[in-house]
Amino acid sequence: DSGALGVRFAVETDTGTEAAFAPVTLLRDTAEGVWVSGLDDKVQVIVVGQDFVTHGSAIKVTLREDQL
């Protein structure tokens, strides 16, 4: 809402899985994707439905194989 560039990702908590937000810095933009900094080495980024959750929202993670 504040205009900060970032990603939403899944995080495990004591009560289940929740959506979290992390601000990122855009390093490079290519036709295949983007490079960013500001995330842990391994995160489960929300790529479908990220506009429908906010930080702390309970979510159910569904994994799918890489489509590239």
Side-chain angles (χ1 to χ4, degrees), residues 9-20 46 54-59 61:
F9 61 97
V11 62
E12 292 296 325
T13 68
D14 293 339
T15 59
T17 307
E18 295 180 356
I46 301 171
T54 59
H55 186 84
S57 296
I59 60 172
V61 174

Side-chain angles (χ1 to χ4, degrees), residues 18-49:
E18 295 180 356
F21 177 84
V24 297
T25 301
L26 181 62
L27 301 175
R28 186 170 181 201
D29 180 6
T30 70
E32 290 80 29
V34 296
W35 291 91
V36 298
S37 65
L39 297 172
D40 289 340
D41 288 339
K42 197 172 194 180
V43 296
Q44 290 182 324
V45 174
I46 301 171
V47 295
V48 175

